[in-house]
């Protein structure tokens, strides 16, 4: 019905509708930008949470961790935990449910 009515409207009504449509499109663009920002932040938090959980799992490995000149380096264990946290797999499978479709 709207497609039948819009072509017949002229003058000020048309301009008012166009302004309204532009304002809606502008708001949608702002919401999309905000969504991307929040999504990036959520992805970072998810990655850090998985890393921290993995660190907790690896706390018992301190005695058997990577040794440098006879010493366990916690930094190395933390780096390894970040690589092996599985965040890349989890995030890859979670993002499609959070991303906006075009």
């Amino acid at each position: 019905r709207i497609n039948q009515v819009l072509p017949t409207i002229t003058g000020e009504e048309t301009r008012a509708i166009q302004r309204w449509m532009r304002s809606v499109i502008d708001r949608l663009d702002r919401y999309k930008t905000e969504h991307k920002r929040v999504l990036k932040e959520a992805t970072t938090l998810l990655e850090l949470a998985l890393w921290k959980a993995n660190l907790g799992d690896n706390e018992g490995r301190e005695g058997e961790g990577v040794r440098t000149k006879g010493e366990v380096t916690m930094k190395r264990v933390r780096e390894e935990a970040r690589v092996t946290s599985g965040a890349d797999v989890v995030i890859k499978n979670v993002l499609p449910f959070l991303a906006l479709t075009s």
Side-chain angles (χ1 to χ4, degrees):
R1 173 158 163 86
I2 192 140
N3 290 335
Q4 295 168 350
V5 174
L6 279 179
T8 63
I9 298 175
T10 60
E12 187 57 36
E13 292 173 335
T14 302
R15 286 188 285 282
I17 291 170
Q18 289 172 342
R19 282 192 303 272
W20 174 80
M21 288 172 55
R22 261 188 253 116
S23 73
V24 169
I25 291 169
D26 289 344
R27 272 186 263 155
L28 285 173
D29 288 340
R30 283 197 309 270
Y31 294 145
K32 285 179 184 179
T33 301
E34 178 67 11
H35 180 265
K36 286 178 184 176
R37 187 192 65 75
V38 170
L39 188 59
K40 183 175 182 175
E41 184 178 332
T43 302
T44 301
L45 289 173
L46 178 58
E47 180 181 9
L48 290 172
L50 291 167
W51 180 46
K52 185 175 182 179
N54 198 22
L55 277 177
D57 292 345
N58 290 331
E59 281 181 359
R61 290 182 48 201
E62 288 181 29
E64 64 186 62
V66 178
R67 295 185 179 271
T68 304
K69 296 182 183 176
E71 295 180 2
V72 175
T73 60
M74 191 58 189
K75 182 179 179 183
R76 177 68 184 207
V77 171
R78 291 172 65 91
E79 288 173 0
E80 181 184 328
R82 187 161 189 191
V83 171
T84 61
S85 69
D88 56 336
V89 174
V90 173
I91 291 170
K92 180 176 65 176
N93 290 308
V94 169
L95 279 181
F97 293 99
L98 302 176
L100 294 174
T101 57
S102 297

Short mmCIF file of all heavy atoms in Angstrom, two decimals, residues 32-50 91 94-95 98:
data_model
loop_
_atom_site.label_atom_id
_atom_site.label_comp_id
_atom_site.label_asym_id
_atom_site.label_seq_id
_atom_site.Cartn_x
_atom_site.Cartn_y
_atom_site.Cartn_z
N LYS A 32 24.65 0.58 13.97
CA LYS A 32 25.58 -0.41 13.41
C LYS A 32 27.00 -0.13 13.89
O LYS A 32 27.74 -1.06 14.25
CB LYS A 32 25.53 -0.39 11.88
CG LYS A 32 24.31 -1.04 11.29
CD LYS A 32 24.36 -0.96 9.78
CE LYS A 32 23.10 -1.52 9.15
NZ LYS A 32 23.15 -1.42 7.68
N THR A 33 27.39 1.14 13.89
CA THR A 33 28.72 1.51 14.36
C THR A 33 28.89 1.16 15.83
O THR A 33 29.91 0.60 16.24
CB THR A 33 28.97 3.02 14.14
OG1 THR A 33 28.83 3.30 12.75
CG2 THR A 33 30.34 3.44 14.62
N GLU A 34 27.88 1.46 16.63
CA GLU A 34 27.92 1.14 18.06
C GLU A 34 27.97 -0.38 18.26
O GLU A 34 28.69 -0.88 19.11
CB GLU A 34 26.70 1.73 18.77
CG GLU A 34 26.62 1.43 20.24
CD GLU A 34 27.71 2.08 21.07
OE1 GLU A 34 28.43 2.96 20.56
OE2 GLU A 34 27.86 1.70 22.24
N HIS A 35 27.21 -1.11 17.47
CA HIS A 35 27.20 -2.56 17.56
C HIS A 35 28.59 -3.13 17.28
O HIS A 35 29.06 -4.03 17.98
CB HIS A 35 26.18 -3.15 16.59
CG HIS A 35 26.11 -4.64 16.62
ND1 HIS A 35 26.82 -5.42 15.75
CD2 HIS A 35 25.45 -5.49 17.44
CE1 HIS A 35 26.59 -6.70 16.02
NE2 HIS A 35 25.76 -6.76 17.04
N LYS A 36 29.26 -2.60 16.26
CA LYS A 36 30.61 -3.07 15.93
C LYS A 36 31.57 -2.81 17.10
O LYS A 36 32.40 -3.66 17.41
CB LYS A 36 31.13 -2.39 14.67
CG LYS A 36 30.49 -2.89 13.41
CD LYS A 36 31.01 -2.15 12.19
CE LYS A 36 30.29 -2.58 10.94
NZ LYS A 36 30.71 -1.82 9.77
N ARG A 37 31.45 -1.63 17.72
CA ARG A 37 32.31 -1.30 18.85
C ARG A 37 32.06 -2.24 20.03
O ARG A 37 33.00 -2.79 20.61
CB ARG A 37 32.09 0.16 19.29
CG ARG A 37 33.08 0.63 20.35
CD ARG A 37 32.67 1.94 20.97
NE ARG A 37 31.43 1.87 21.73
CZ ARG A 37 31.32 1.32 22.93
NH1 ARG A 37 32.35 0.76 23.52
NH2 ARG A 37 30.16 1.30 23.55
N VAL A 38 30.81 -2.46 20.34
CA VAL A 38 30.45 -3.35 21.46
C VAL A 38 30.87 -4.78 21.14
O VAL A 38 31.36 -5.51 22.01
CB VAL A 38 28.94 -3.26 21.76
CG1 VAL A 38 28.50 -4.32 22.72
CG2 VAL A 38 28.59 -1.88 22.29
N LEU A 39 30.70 -5.20 19.90
CA LEU A 39 31.08 -6.55 19.49
C LEU A 39 32.58 -6.76 19.63
O LEU A 39 33.04 -7.81 20.10
CB LEU A 39 30.63 -6.81 18.06
CG LEU A 39 30.77 -8.23 17.54
CD1 LEU A 39 29.98 -9.21 18.38
CD2 LEU A 39 30.29 -8.28 16.09
N LYS A 40 33.36 -5.76 19.24
CA LYS A 40 34.82 -5.86 19.38
C LYS A 40 35.22 -5.96 20.84
O LYS A 40 36.06 -6.78 21.22
CB LYS A 40 35.48 -4.64 18.73
CG LYS A 40 36.99 -4.70 18.75
CD LYS A 40 37.60 -3.55 18.00
CE LYS A 40 39.11 -3.69 18.02
NZ LYS A 40 39.77 -2.67 17.23
N GLU A 41 34.57 -5.16 21.68
CA GLU A 41 34.86 -5.21 23.12
C GLU A 41 34.46 -6.56 23.71
O GLU A 41 35.21 -7.15 24.49
CB GLU A 41 34.10 -4.09 23.83
CG GLU A 41 34.39 -3.99 25.30
CD GLU A 41 33.67 -2.84 25.96
OE1 GLU A 41 33.38 -1.83 25.27
OE2 GLU A 41 33.39 -2.93 27.15
N ALA A 42 33.31 -7.07 23.31
CA ALA A 42 32.84 -8.37 23.81
C ALA A 42 33.77 -9.50 23.36
O ALA A 42 34.05 -10.43 24.11
CB ALA A 42 31.42 -8.64 23.34
N THR A 43 34.26 -9.41 22.13
CA THR A 43 35.20 -10.42 21.62
C THR A 43 36.48 -10.41 22.43
O THR A 43 37.00 -11.46 22.80
CB THR A 43 35.50 -10.14 20.13
OG1 THR A 43 34.28 -10.16 19.41
CG2 THR A 43 36.43 -11.18 19.56
N THR A 44 36.98 -9.22 22.74
CA THR A 44 38.20 -9.11 23.54
C THR A 44 37.97 -9.69 24.94
O THR A 44 38.82 -10.43 25.45
CB THR A 44 38.62 -7.63 23.64
OG1 THR A 44 38.83 -7.13 22.34
CG2 THR A 44 39.89 -7.47 24.45
N LEU A 45 36.84 -9.36 25.55
CA LEU A 45 36.54 -9.89 26.88
C LEU A 45 36.40 -11.42 26.87
O LEU A 45 36.86 -12.10 27.78
CB LEU A 45 35.27 -9.25 27.43
CG LEU A 45 35.40 -7.79 27.84
CD1 LEU A 45 34.03 -7.23 28.21
CD2 LEU A 45 36.37 -7.63 28.99
N LEU A 46 35.77 -11.94 25.83
CA LEU A 46 35.63 -13.39 25.70
C LEU A 46 37.00 -14.05 25.57
O LEU A 46 37.28 -15.06 26.21
CB LEU A 46 34.74 -13.74 24.51
CG LEU A 46 34.54 -15.22 24.21
CD1 LEU A 46 33.94 -15.94 25.40
CD2 LEU A 46 33.67 -15.38 22.97
N GLU A 47 37.86 -13.46 24.75
CA GLU A 47 39.20 -14.01 24.58
C GLU A 47 39.97 -14.00 25.91
O GLU A 47 40.62 -14.99 26.28
CB GLU A 47 39.96 -13.22 23.53
CG GLU A 47 41.37 -13.74 23.30
CD GLU A 47 42.14 -12.94 22.27
OE1 GLU A 47 41.68 -11.89 21.83
OE2 GLU A 47 43.24 -13.41 21.90
N LEU A 48 39.88 -12.89 26.63
CA LEU A 48 40.58 -12.80 27.92
C LEU A 48 40.01 -13.78 28.95
O LEU A 48 40.75 -14.37 29.73
CB LEU A 48 40.53 -11.37 28.46
CG LEU A 48 41.37 -10.36 27.69
CD1 LEU A 48 41.09 -8.94 28.18
CD2 LEU A 48 42.85 -10.68 27.80
N ALA A 49 38.69 -13.95 28.94
CA ALA A 49 38.07 -14.90 29.86
C ALA A 49 38.52 -16.33 29.57
O ALA A 49 38.81 -17.11 30.49
CB ALA A 49 36.55 -14.79 29.78
N LEU A 50 38.57 -16.68 28.29
CA LEU A 50 39.04 -18.02 27.92
C LEU A 50 40.50 -18.21 28.30
O LEU A 50 40.90 -19.27 28.78
CB LEU A 50 38.84 -18.26 26.42
CG LEU A 50 37.39 -18.38 25.97
CD1 LEU A 50 37.29 -18.30 24.47
CD2 LEU A 50 36.78 -19.67 26.49
N ILE A 91 35.62 -17.98 19.41
CA ILE A 91 35.19 -16.70 18.86
C ILE A 91 34.71 -16.86 17.42
O ILE A 91 33.69 -16.29 17.03
CB ILE A 91 36.32 -15.66 18.97
CG1 ILE A 91 36.52 -15.31 20.45
CG2 ILE A 91 36.03 -14.43 18.15
CD1 ILE A 91 37.75 -14.48 20.74
N VAL A 94 31.24 -18.15 17.69
CA VAL A 94 30.28 -17.31 18.40
C VAL A 94 29.92 -16.07 17.58
O VAL A 94 28.76 -15.65 17.56
CB VAL A 94 30.85 -16.89 19.79
CG1 VAL A 94 30.00 -15.81 20.43
CG2 VAL A 94 30.93 -18.10 20.71
N LEU A 95 30.90 -15.49 16.90
CA LEU A 95 30.67 -14.25 16.16
C LEU A 95 29.52 -14.29 15.16
O LEU A 95 28.77 -13.32 15.05
CB LEU A 95 31.95 -13.80 15.45
CG LEU A 95 32.94 -13.05 16.33
CD1 LEU A 95 34.15 -12.64 15.50
CD2 LEU A 95 32.34 -11.86 17.00
N LEU A 98 26.39 -13.12 16.66
CA LEU A 98 26.34 -11.75 17.16
C LEU A 98 26.45 -10.70 16.07
O LEU A 98 26.12 -9.55 16.27
CB LEU A 98 27.49 -11.54 18.16
CG LEU A 98 27.52 -12.48 19.36
CD1 LEU A 98 28.75 -12.21 20.19
CD2 LEU A 98 26.26 -12.35 20.19
#
